[in-house]
Amino acid sequence: MKFRSTAFTAMVATAGHTTSAWMGPLQHQHRQHHSLVSSIPTSVPRSQVSFYSTTTRTSLKMAVAEDILDPPQTSATETERSAAGKPIAKGPIISAFRGGLVAVRVDDDLSTDFFDPEVVDTTQLLPKPKATSNNLGGDLIGRQVQFENGQRGVVIVHRPPVVFVYAEDDGQSSLPAEGTVTVFSNLLSIQVPVDNLQQIDCFGRTKNDFSSIIDNNNTFERPIFAPIPQVKDIALINKPLVTGVTMFDALAPIGKGQNMLLIGHDMEDIRRYVTDILSIQTQQGTKCIYAATGGTDERQQVKGLLASAGLEENVVVVMSQDSDKDDASRAAEATVVAASACAIAESFAKEQGLDTLVIVDNIDQHKKIWDTTTRVLVDEFGVDAVVKGDRDGGASSEMRAFFSSLVQRSAQFKKNRGGGSVTLLLLQSIPKMKSENEEEIIFSPEDFEQSPDKVKERINLLIQKKIPLTAANLRKIQIPVPSADEGMRRLVLQHVDDLISMSDGQIWLDERLEQSGRCPAMDFQRSVTRIGIGADTVSRADAAAMRRVVEGLRLDLSQAESMDGADVATTASKKQMRNAQAWLLAMHQPSASGARKLSESCVAMLAASTGAFNDSIDSGMLPGSVEGDTLVRNLLEHVSTKVPEAMAEIDTTQDFTTETKEVITKAIESYFDEK
C-alpha cells in the first residue's frame, strides 16, 4: 500500500510531442465504445482482474439486480439506511489520499467468498449489459463499501481492476491507509426530508453533525449515484425553464428536464447570473438545489450571493466540508456532492412531482478526480499500458461514461414515474485567453516547428503578407498560440468539446465579448440548445411567446458579426448594424441586475423587432450605456403598468394571442410617443 500525494510528474512522449500520461482521453477523442475492460493493462494476469464492471449483475438474483437498477423510494430509519446488501467484491487498499479518497484493487478470484452456487440462483440471470455510457462507467459505481474499522464509503469511480472510494467521515475514526475493503451490492443512499431541508454535506449531514439530519420517517431515500433515467421513464421535454436572462431565453433556452453547460472564464460573474436564475425559478415554485463543489473561498462566495438575493431559505445547498483534504480527496468529495444534489432533486421530482433545478458549481473537479484515477493506474500498471488503452479508445469511452453518469441524470419524468423534472445547469470554467504582456510578443516561424503542415502553411502565408505573428492575429485565423498557458487552455477546451458532445446544449460566455462590453458576454455561434432541433420533433425548450418575437434574431446577429471591421457606409449595412444593436440593447442585462419575467423579455424583444429602438440607437443609446439601460427599464415599467392583463397572460400561459401582441405593441408605441 502506498500513501500518495496528488503530485505526479510522469510524462510520456507521443506523436512527436510531450503530453501528460493521464491526458489520453483528451488526446484521443474516439467516439466508439470499447469494452470497459479494454483499459486493463495487458501485463496484468487475467486471474487478478475483476470483471464486475460488465458481469456483476449476472451473478445476482433477478430481484436483487432489479432493486439495484431502479431502487424503490421508501421511508427508512437510520438503521435501515446503514444496512448493507450482499458483499460482491473485496480487495486491499493500494493507494490512500489525505481526506477520504482511497483506491482499492478488487480481484475476481475472491468472488467465490461471496457467491456460493448453492445460495445464489444462477438460473435467473440478467443478460450481460452492453458497454455503453448507461453502465455508469462500471457496475460498482455508487455501491456502499465498508472498511475494516467499520467506516462506510461509496464507490465513485470503477476502472477495473481498481475501484476508487470516498469514505464517509464519522467524526471519530481516522481513515485506514491500509487493509481490506468490502464492496456491497446496495447503492449507498441519502435521506431526503420532505420539508425543512438544510445546508448539508454530500452524505446529508449538517455542518459538524455526523449523524443523519432526520429523526423521523417523513423522508425519501434515494441512492446517491442512482442510475441515469431509462427511456421508458422519461417524457419529451416541452416546457421552458425561464432563466430571467433575456439573451439566454432567446438564443439558448433551457427546457425543464434538460441538461445545459454554462461555460466561461469568470466564475464570479457566472454565479451572479445563476443567482438571477435561481431567483425567478424559486418564485415559480421550482425546487432548487445548489451543489457547491469548490473550496472555502468559492463556497463563501456562493453563500454570500444567495444571501444577498434573499435565497438562503429557498435553495438547498449541498457543499463540501472544511476538513483537511488534499486536492484528490476534494475532487472526490465534489463528485459525491454533485451526485447527492441530483439524488435530492430526483426524490422531489419522482415523489412529489415537482420541477427541480440542480446547479453544479462546478464540474472542473470531475476532471480532476478522473485524472487522479488515471495516475493511480499508471503507477500501478505502467505508463505504456494505460496510454495504449487511451489510444484504443478504452479510456475515452470510460471517461465519457463517467461524466455521463452525472450529465444524463436530467429528465422530464412521465406521470407514472412521478411527473416531475430534473434540470441540470453544469458550470464549467475555462482558462483566460491571454496572459500578461502576451499581446506584445511576436512569434517566429521556429515556434511552430512541431505544428502540423497545414498550420505551417498558414504561418508562411502570414509572413509573406508581412502580418506579425501576434497572439491576436493567430487567434483570428484559429491558429494555436505557442505558449504554455495556451497549451493548457487547448487541453481544457478539448475536454469541454467532449462534454458538449454529451450535453443537451451550452451557453458560452466569451472573454473578448466581455471586454467589448456585451452583457451577458454570450457567444451566439457557440451557444445553442439541441432540444427541439429537427423538423419532425415536437420537443421544445423555448417558450412559445419568446419564439414569436425572436424570428430573424440569429440571422441579424450573425450578419452583423460578419461585418465586423468591414465597410458599413452603405444604407443596407447601416440598417443591418442598427438592427443588431437594437437586439443587443433589448438583451443587455448585467449579472445580478435582477431576473426578468418572461413577459418583460418579450416586450424588450418585441420593441427591438418592430424597430421601436431605431431612433434611440441612432441618437447614441447603445447597449451598455446608462441611457440605453434607462430606456429599456422605463419601457418595461411603462408597459407593465399600462397593460398588466396582457403581461400576466404571457407569464401564465407562456404564450400570447395575436390580439395580445397588438395590445403590447400599442403600449410600446405609446411609450415612445410620450417621450
Side-chain angles (χ1 to χ4, degrees):
M1 195 287 306
K2 305 171 186 175
F3 192 91
R4 302 179 189 274
S5 69
T6 54
F8 183 80
T9 57
M11 304 291 285
V12 56
T14 48
H17 63 280
T18 301
T19 181
S20 300
W22 60 91
M23 285 298 182
L26 299 182
Q27 299 294 336
H28 310 287
Q29 300 286 335
H30 294 284
R31 292 291 182 245
Q32 70 272 22
H33 284 281
H34 290 252
S35 169
L36 295 177
V37 186
S38 65
S39 63
I40 299 175
T42 54
S43 60
V44 179
R46 285 288 175 179
S47 62
Q48 298 180 20
V49 176
S50 167
F51 289 91
Y52 287 123
S53 66
T54 55
T55 61
T56 296
R57 291 192 183 114
T58 64
S59 303
L60 299 174
K61 288 185 179 181
M62 179 73 77
V64 174
E66 287 177 348
D67 283 345
I68 293 175
L69 286 172
D70 196 6
Q73 301 275 320
T74 58
S75 297
T77 63
E78 177 68 15
T79 301
E80 290 169 339
R81 189 173 77 94
S82 301
K86 296 182 179 181
I88 56 175
K90 190 175 184 179
I93 296 174
I94 60 172
S95 180
F97 297 82
R98 190 181 74 257
L101 176 65
V102 297
V104 180
R105 179 168 177 165
V106 289
D107 298 327
D108 68 343
D109 57 354
L110 299 176
S111 62
T112 54
D113 295 342
F114 310 113
F115 298 115
D116 187 338
E118 296 182 1
V119 176
V120 177
D121 183 0
T122 58
T123 65
Q124 299 187 41
L125 302 177
L126 283 174
K128 182 177 179 179
K130 296 179 181 179
T132 69
S133 61
N134 289 345
N135 289 335
L136 306 182
D139 284 345
L140 297 184
I141 284 186
R143 300 304 189 265
Q144 179 177 327
V145 306
Q146 185 168 318
F147 295 86
E148 288 182 341
N149 67 350
Q151 276 185 271
R152 293 190 311 172
V154 60
V155 177
I156 61 172
V157 182
H158 182 195
R159 300 184 70 179
V162 179
V163 294
F164 296 85
V165 175
Y166 183 67
E168 181 178 20
D169 184 3
D170 59 8
Q172 299 175 352
S173 307
S174 59
L175 180 68
E178 57 186 11
T180 301
V181 176
T182 302
V183 183
F184 293 89
S185 61
N186 65 298
L187 295 168
L188 185 64
S189 295
I190 185 172
Q191 281 186 301
V192 183
V194 175
D195 300 304
N196 300 322
L197 188 58
Q198 307 169 50
Q199 178 181 303
I200 57 175
D201 71 359
C202 63
F203 293 109
R205 304 166 305 186
T206 56
K207 186 176 181 181
N208 300 324
D209 180 8
F210 295 98
S211 62
S212 171
I213 63 173
I214 301 301
D215 297 322
N216 56 59
N217 291 328
N218 193 24
T219 66
F220 305 136
E221 184 170 308
R222 182 75 180 167
I224 294 174
F225 289 90
I228 62 177
Q230 301 179 40
V231 174
K232 65 181 179 65
D233 297 329
I234 59 178
L236 289 176
I237 294 172
N238 53 23
K239 296 185 297 182
L241 184 140
V242 177
T243 67
V245 183
T246 304
M247 193 177 291
F248 296 171
D249 291 330
L251 289 164
I254 303 174
K256 291 183 178 179
Q258 177 182 342
N259 60 67
M260 196 75 159
L261 296 170
L262 182 50
I263 304 164
H265 74 286
D266 188 343
M267 290 306 298
E268 183 175 356
D269 191 55
I270 288 176
R271 291 185 183 111
R272 290 196 182 102
Y273 279 116
V274 167
T275 303
D276 288 336
I277 296 172
L278 291 171
S279 178
I280 192 168
Q281 280 303 305
T282 54
Q283 292 174 25
Q284 296 179 0
T286 301
K287 194 72 176 181
C288 298
I289 300 95
Y290 200 116
T293 68
T296 302
D297 292 343
E298 292 171 309
R299 295 197 303 272
Q300 290 299 324
Q301 185 182 97
V302 169
K303 289 193 289 187
L305 289 172
L306 293 177
S308 63
L311 295 172
E312 284 182 305
E313 301 298 324
N314 300 319
V315 176
V316 178
V317 181
V318 186
M319 61 174 52
S320 304
Q321 292 181 323
D322 294 326
S323 54
D324 182 34
K325 294 179 177 67
D326 62 16
D327 290 344
S329 290
R330 289 197 179 281
E333 183 183 25
T335 303
V336 186
V337 166
S340 292
C342 290
I344 293 170
E346 289 164 352
S347 293
F348 284 110
K350 299 184 75 173
E351 291 299 312
Q352 293 191 328
L354 296 179
D355 291 319
T356 64
L357 171 62
V358 178
I359 308 295
V360 179
D361 177 10
N362 53 53
I363 56 173
D364 296 8
Q365 296 289 346
H366 283 68
K367 184 62 176 63
K368 291 180 181 179
I369 191 60
W370 184 260
D371 291 347
T372 297
T373 66
T374 303
R375 294 197 290 268
V376 171
L377 294 179
V378 167
D379 285 352
E380 290 299 320
F381 306 121
V383 171
D384 293 337
V386 172
V387 173
K388 182 179 183 302
D390 291 351
R391 289 175 179 171
D392 292 340
S396 179
S397 64
E398 278 188 296
M399 185 184 71
R400 290 176 62 82
F402 171 67
F403 279 96
S404 291
S405 67
L406 170 64
V407 175
Q408 298 302 326
R409 287 181 75 167
S410 61
Q412 170 64 61
F413 291 101
K414 290 182 178 178
K415 289 185 178 180
N416 64 352
R417 298 300 288 170
S421 65
V422 176
T423 304
L424 293 183
L425 186 57
L426 309 162
L427 313 189
Q428 169 68 49
S429 69
I430 54 177
K432 284 192 173 183
M433 188 176 303
K434 61 183 181 181
S435 56
E436 294 182 4
N437 302 322
E438 184 185 67
E439 296 302 324
E440 300 176 3
I441 300 174
I442 298 179
F443 298 97
S444 67
E446 289 74 22
D447 294 318
F448 300 89
E449 287 182 352
Q450 301 299 321
S451 301
D453 291 339
K454 288 186 177 180
V455 171
K456 292 179 181 178
E457 292 174 4
R458 297 170 74 186
I459 292 296
N460 291 332
L461 186 60
L462 291 175
I463 294 174
Q464 291 172 14
K465 294 185 176 183
K466 298 183 179 181
I467 298 176
L469 302 179
T470 63
N473 290 335
L474 292 172
R475 289 196 181 96
K476 284 182 180 179
I477 56 175
Q478 298 183 345
I479 293 179
V481 178
S483 66
D485 289 344
E486 187 70 14
M488 180 60 67
R489 186 172 185 271
R490 287 172 56 200
L491 289 176
V492 173
L493 293 179
Q494 289 181 54
H495 173 60
V496 170
D497 284 343
D498 211 33
L499 291 176
I500 287 174
S501 71
M502 304 178 215
S503 69
D504 296 330
Q506 69 278 348
I507 296 170
W508 194 298
L509 303 184
D510 185 81
E511 181 180 353
R512 287 175 295 184
L513 294 175
E514 181 185 59
Q515 293 170 354
S516 71
R518 181 181 295 179
C519 288
M522 181 175 170
D523 187 327
F524 308 136
Q525 296 180 355
R526 284 180 167 179
S527 303
V528 68
T529 182
R530 283 175 281 279
I531 299 298
I533 293 180
D536 58 344
T537 181
V538 296
S539 185
R540 300 294 304 216
D542 56 347
M546 181 63 74
R547 195 182 317 143
R548 297 183 192 281
V549 296
V550 297
E551 185 177 356
L553 171 60
R554 277 192 180 274
L555 179 61
D556 282 347
L557 294 175
S558 297
Q559 289 179 344
E561 287 191 348
S562 66
M563 296 168 63
D564 184 25
D567 181 16
V568 293
T570 65
T571 301
S573 298
K574 289 180 179 180
K575 180 180 178 181
Q576 191 63 56
M577 294 299 294
R578 186 174 62 182
N579 290 344
Q581 289 296 316
W583 287 119
L584 292 174
L585 177 60
M587 296 187 291
H588 186 81
Q589 203 172 346
S591 59
S593 62
R596 291 178 183 171
K597 296 178 180 179
L598 178 61
S599 58
E600 294 174 328
S601 290
C602 288
V603 168
M605 299 302 279
L606 186 59
S609 67
T610 58
F613 288 144
N614 287 354
D615 291 342
S616 301
I617 294 292
D618 292 341
S619 65
M621 294 185 182
L622 300 177
S625 67
V626 175
E627 296 81 5
D629 289 345
T630 302
L631 172 69
V632 175
R633 183 172 60 253
N634 291 342
L635 170 65
L636 298 182
E637 292 177 356
H638 172 83
V639 176
S640 297
T641 302
K642 196 169 188 66
V643 288
E645 297 84 2
M647 300 292 277
E649 177 188 329
I650 295 176
D651 292 325
T652 302
T653 67
Q654 298 184 332
D655 200 353
F656 56 79
T657 63
T658 302
E659 293 76 13
T660 301
K661 182 177 181 180
E662 292 177 355
V663 169
I664 292 177
T665 302
K666 289 180 179 179
I668 293 173
E669 293 173 351
S670 70
Y671 171 75
F672 288 96
D673 290 341
E674 294 173 6
K675 285 188 62 180

